[in-house]
Amino acid sequence: MSEPQFGWNDAALAQAPRVFEAGLFDGQVVMVSGAGSGIGKAIAFLYARLGAKLVICGRDRAKLDACEPWLRKLGSPDVLVQQANIRQPEDVEKLLDATYAHFGRLDVQVNNAGGQFPKAALEISPNGWKAVVDNNLNGTWYMMHAAAKHWRDTGTPGNIVNIVLTFQRGFPGVAHSCAARAAVTYLSKTVAVEWAAHDIRVNCVAPGVIESTGFKQYSAEAREQFPRGNPMLRQGDVQDIAHAVIYLTGPSGKFITGELLNVDGGGVLWGELWTIPKPAYFTQEQTA
C-alpha cells in the first residue's frame, strides 16, 4: 500500500491564490529555515512569488536543492542554498556570514526549522527531550541572536518571525515541543522590547492543525480526530501560515512586534487535540 500524501505539491504551491501584490518584497533578502518541505517550503515559495531574494537553509541538502529551481522560476531573482544545523551555533554563524557575503544584507528571518515526535510525556527519554528542545528552542535562539547582532552592528532594521505552535491549552503528546515553543514565544516578547531600539521587530505565528508533510509522523487515529480540534471542524493548509508570515513581515505589519498570531481555526478557544492515542481514562464514562 502506498504511503498517504499530505500537504500541497510544488506545482500546487506555485499556483495557489495569493492576497499580496507581486513585487512586495522586491530588493529584500529573506531567510527561511527548514525550507525544504512542508510549511517552510510554502513560506519560501510565497516570498519568491513576491520578488524576494532568498536564503534557504536546513539539514537536508537534497530537499533544498530540489526547492531552489522552483524559487527561481517563481520570481526570486537570487537564491542562496546553505546546509546548516541550527542546533550548532557555529553553523548558524557561518550561515549569517555567507548571507552577508553573498547579498550584503538581510531583511527578514523566518525561523521555521524544528520538529517533534508524538510521545506520551512519561515515555520521553532524556535524549528525546534534549533533541526537541535543542531544535525548537536553542536553535531558534541561535538564529535570532546571530541575525540581531548583524542588524545592530550594521545599523539596519530587521524583522523576525518564529513559527511555534498553539501551546496555550497544552498539547498532549508533544510536551517537549509545547515547552520549547512556549519558551520561544516569551523569548520573542522579551527581545521585541529589548531590540526595538535597533528597529528589529520580532513576532510569532502559531499553526494549529495544518495539513503538511509533517502529518506522516502521526497515527491514522490521531489524524482522523485532528479536524475536531477546533470550532471550524477542519484543518488548515500551509498557505494559511505563509500568508500570516507575509502579513507580519510586510508593510501590513510595520507597527506589530512581540505578538503571537494563532492560525488554528479557533482551536485555542475550543476543541480537543491529541497527537497520541487518547488514554482510556478520557474515553470511558467515570463512575463515582
Side-chain angles (χ1 to χ4, degrees), residues 167-279:
F167 58 83
Q168 293 93 322
R169 296 194 301 136
F171 214 126
V174 287
H176 38 23
S177 190
C178 193
R181 303 296 196 177
V184 167
T185 301
Y186 283 90
L187 166 64
S188 299
K189 289 178 178 293
T190 300
V191 297
V193 176
E194 289 193 26
W195 297 350
H198 305 293
D199 200 9
I200 299 170
R201 294 194 296 111
V202 186
N203 291 290
C204 295
V205 171
V209 178
I210 302 295
E211 185 180 356
S212 74
T213 52
F215 264 30
K216 294 177 182 177
Q217 66 183 313
Y218 301 110
S219 68
E221 178 185 352
R223 295 196 303 265
E224 184 180 354
Q225 61 87 38
F226 279 169
R228 298 194 294 273
N230 65 74
M232 297 183 76
L233 297 178
R234 60 183 174 84
Q235 52 214 26
D237 60 55
V238 291
Q239 285 294 102
D240 294 321
I241 306 304
H243 277 100
V245 172
I246 298 297
Y247 168 74
L248 288 172
T249 57
S252 46
K254 65 184 177 61
F255 198 50
I256 302 172
T257 194
E259 284 301 320
L260 170 65
L261 175 57
N262 295 306
V263 185
D264 70 337
V268 296
L269 306 174
W270 179 94
E272 184 178 31
L273 192 61
W274 289 80
T275 60
I276 56 175
K278 190 185 299 185

Side-chain angles (χ1 to χ4, degrees), residues 86-87 111 113-115 129-145 162-164 176-188:
I86 64 170
R87 292 185 289 183
N111 292 311
W129 177 271
K130 185 175 185 298
V132 171
V133 172
D134 271 353
N135 252 338
N136 296 352
L137 173 56
N138 297 336
T140 300
W141 166 244
Y142 298 145
M143 292 283 283
M144 296 169 63
H145 193 243
N162 296 317
I163 306 300
V164 291
H176 38 23
S177 190
C178 193
R181 303 296 196 177
V184 167
T185 301
Y186 283 90
L187 166 64
S188 299

Side-chain angles (χ1 to χ4, degrees), residues 143-167:
M143 292 283 283
M144 296 169 63
H145 193 243
K149 285 192 297 182
H150 277 273
W151 288 323
R152 178 200 62 189
D153 295 345
T154 56
T156 51
N159 205 331
I160 297 173
V161 171
N162 296 317
I163 306 300
V164 291
L165 57 70
T166 49
F167 58 83

